[in-house]
Amino acid sequence: MKFLTALKNAKNDKKNIVIPDIKVYSPKEGDLMHGRSPVEYAKILQAAGAPVISVVTEEKEFHGSLAMLRAIADAVELPILRKDFIHTKEDLIATKEAGADAILLMCSCLERDELIMLYHEALELGLDPFVETHVKEDFELVNELGAELVGINNRDILVLERDDGDVSNTLSLASLAPKNAFLVTESSIKNPAQVRAAISAGADAALVGTAILNAKYTDAFYKMLCRKVSLKICGLMNEQDIETCVRLGVERIGMVVEYPLSVPWNLSVDRAAELRKHIPEGYQACFVTGGTTEEIMKRCDTVKPDLIQIHYKENLDETAEIARLCKERGIAVIKTVPLSEEGCLEQFGCSDITEALSMLARTDIEEILVDPRQGSVVASKKLKLDVSLASKVIAASAKKVVVAGGITADNLGDILAATGCEAVDIMNGSEDAPGHKNEEIIKKILELL
């Protein structure tokens, strides 16, 4: 099967497309294989569901080779993209003979006439030309060619990707790609949120190398990158359960930290900081808390989470200030929205939830949480998510919406279908007792995402 055909066939409503990039060395990161065989690594990615793979063959800076590509092509049944500095027709012939199905052509490394020639020669040889852009001007040629497979490199290949690019380059350039092109965001992608952001901006897939290569559990991390719906397992209280969530590919690791009321999952800020050390890059450490702005910010500075969930009685001014201070620290904020008229009136001075959502949209919070467990009933197991209300909030909110409350492996599928939510937060439904998670239940939950 052709490389582009495999990518198009992989598009569906449930998963995002992630192209794993196999490179044995990075000029910025150093050794990436850590003693592993590239061939065995490719087999793991095939088993994890990758529709295609990319292989870096450049020898001097990235320590790749055509021999490595050939060995991988012999070992897996997936179409392969060769990434290298290609300049001649002979390079294309060698690529085809080594078993690749697509070839990378970089606008930043080729003269206009040279790229046009190589583009058409690749098509003649039966290779899919993957045209890589990095700046706005590159799209003049891309559109002139009518290129069907286009990449946006978030880093500068001319400095061998030693810069600190991020997906913002894709966010700003995606709209310039030909309408019928299959668009891939490349480089600097570290977590599922960045994959989703790029795809939301117009990319069809993400090419990810270093983050997967550095992950402790390759298959689980790869599958996590592909999920359209993010999952938080909350109420974690020990290292063993955190390791289980990491091993299974749970994107968001949640802890309750010095919540103002007595709840069975409550941790001290010092204990949360110790547990935070066990959450690796690529996953998101989240703590649930409440109280004064000063108290919450002290906890943030001690634990250093990726995001926090303020889940008590914070009013609009307090919420806005907490979100502003967290944004300065690179911490995202989730705010629980009151679901009753009385709750909205108490926190936001209005009784209409739609008006409250409009007010929150003008703050720096990043997500809204719909959860019937609020205030004094936060520990209740009996409260269930009101699916119709959650759907109303999702429709009215300018922010990403997370749903929670009574969600289990048994009802999650129906909730996803009914709400179309982007994120799920599960606590009671993932454990046998407060703070004691059930691995088999978490596996069932992940199978539904």
Side-chain angles (χ1 to χ4, degrees):
M1 183 183 296
K2 292 181 70 64
F3 188 87
L4 181 56
T5 301
L7 287 174
K8 289 180 176 179
N9 288 349
K11 293 195 75 170
N12 63 63
D13 294 332
K14 194 169 182 180
K15 302 291 183 184
N16 288 324
I17 300 174
V18 175
I19 304 168
D21 190 34
I22 301 177
K23 55 184 174 183
V24 299
Y25 186 89
S26 161
K28 183 177 182 179
E29 303 282 343
D31 174 41
L32 294 172
M33 293 310 300
H34 307 295
R36 294 171 296 186
S37 157
V39 170
E40 293 306 312
Y41 182 74
K43 289 179 181 179
I44 290 171
L45 292 165
Q46 177 174 263
V52 299
I53 55 175
S54 165
V55 178
V56 179
T57 61
E58 195 279 334
E59 295 186 19
K60 182 179 177 182
E61 300 290 347
F62 293 91
H63 302 187
S65 68
L66 277 173
M68 179 182 73
L69 189 153
R70 190 175 296 109
I72 291 172
D74 289 341
V76 301
E77 299 176 355
L78 302 177
I80 297 174
L81 165 70
R82 179 191 179 190
K83 290 179 65 182
D84 207 327
F85 297 102
I86 301 300
H87 289 281
T88 68
K89 182 177 179 180
E90 286 70 28
D91 290 334
L92 298 178
I93 294 170
T95 299
K96 185 72 175 179
E97 290 176 347
D101 306 274
I103 187 67
L104 180 69
L105 302 176
M106 293 176 273
C107 290
S108 57
C109 299
L110 294 166
E111 296 295 331
R112 181 181 183 279
D113 290 345
E114 191 178 21
L115 194 149
I116 291 172
M117 180 272 291
L118 290 169
Y119 182 89
H120 291 292
E121 290 285 0
L123 290 174
E124 287 290 324
L125 289 167
L127 292 168
D128 284 329
F130 182 108
V131 183
E132 180 182 282
T133 67
H134 180 64
V135 295
K136 178 174 64 176
E137 291 73 20
D138 294 337
F139 284 92
E140 294 178 13
L141 180 54
V142 165
N143 280 279
E144 180 184 329
L145 286 169
E148 294 185 71
L149 182 58
V150 178
I152 298 175
N153 197 329
N154 298 306
R155 286 179 172 162
D156 185 356
I157 191 62
L158 296 180
V159 296
L160 300 175
E161 300 182 350
R162 289 188 176 94
D163 56 323
D164 293 317
D166 58 42
V167 292
S168 61
N169 201 43
T170 293
L171 306 189
S172 64
L173 297 178
S175 63
L176 302 177
K179 290 183 179 179
N180 295 326
F182 192 98
L183 183 64
V184 181
T185 180
E186 310 170 64
S187 296
S188 298
I189 299 166
K190 299 177 177 65
N191 57 54
Q194 292 176 331
V195 173
R196 295 184 198 110
I199 289 177
S200 179
D204 296 290
L207 189 149
V208 184
T210 303
I212 304 174
L213 284 155
N214 283 338
K216 185 176 181 180
Y217 302 105
T218 302
D219 54 348
F221 190 84
Y222 175 79
K223 291 175 183 178
M224 186 176 78
L225 288 175
C226 295
R227 292 193 192 103
K228 290 187 175 183
V229 177
S230 62
L231 171 68
K232 184 178 86 170
I233 296 295
C234 198
L236 288 151
M237 300 182 72
N238 59 70
E239 291 85 354
Q240 293 79 10
D241 283 344
I242 288 177
E243 174 65 13
T244 295
C245 287
V246 170
R247 176 167 46 81
L248 296 180
V250 174
E251 179 180 348
R252 293 179 168 180
I253 312 295
M255 297 176 283
V256 180
V257 182
E258 295 189 355
Y259 191 74
L261 300 174
S262 178
V263 295
W265 306 273
N266 236 345
L267 299 171
S268 70
V269 69
D270 291 336
R271 176 59 175 153
E274 279 298 313
L275 292 176
R276 169 70 180 93
K277 298 174 184 176
H278 296 268
I279 302 172
E281 186 176 9
Y283 298 77
Q284 291 186 310
C286 174
F287 73 66
V288 181
T289 194
T292 69
T293 301
E294 183 180 7
E295 290 168 340
I296 290 171
M297 297 320 301
K298 283 183 178 178
R299 293 167 198 153
C300 286
D301 290 338
T302 301
V303 180
K304 295 179 172 56
D306 299 297
L307 65 163
I308 68 167
Q309 180 179 311
I310 47 176
H311 199 104
Y312 193 48
K313 298 179 180 179
E314 299 80 17
N315 62 33
L316 183 64
D317 289 341
E318 290 168 334
T319 298
E321 180 67 0
I322 292 166
R324 182 186 68 81
L325 292 170
C326 282
K327 187 176 182 180
E328 292 175 358
R329 292 163 168 80
I331 300 171
V333 175
I334 305 170
K335 174 65 178 119
T336 308
V337 64
L339 301 180
S340 66
E341 291 184 359
E342 296 81 4
C344 278
L345 193 61
E346 178 184 358
Q347 289 190 44
F348 303 121
C350 66
S351 58
D352 181 27
I353 192 170
T354 303
E355 186 177 349
L357 290 169
S358 179
M359 292 177 180
L360 288 168
R362 295 191 287 272
T363 72
D364 287 319
I365 67 165
E366 295 203 13
E367 300 178 20
I368 297 289
L369 175 67
V370 179
D371 189 348
R373 301 168 302 179
Q374 299 184 27
S376 61
V377 294
V378 73
S380 174
K381 294 183 179 181
K382 296 180 181 179
L383 295 174
K384 303 296 181 184
L385 177 72
D386 183 331
V387 173
S388 61
L389 182 56
S391 298
K392 177 183 176 182
V393 172
I394 290 169
S397 177
K399 305 282 187 177
K400 177 179 176 177
V401 175
V402 187
V403 299
I407 301 177
T408 68
D410 293 329
N411 62 21
L412 175 58
D414 292 337
I415 290 171
L416 293 172
T419 65
C421 63
E422 298 177 85
V424 177
D425 184 341
I426 301 177
M427 188 152 59
N428 297 103
S430 63
E431 58 190 19
D432 298 318
H436 298 278
K437 301 303 177 183
N438 184 308
E439 180 173 341
E440 294 307 312
I441 290 175
I442 295 174
K443 286 180 180 178
K444 290 178 182 178
I445 289 168
L446 288 169
E447 288 172 0
L448 295 167
L449 298 178

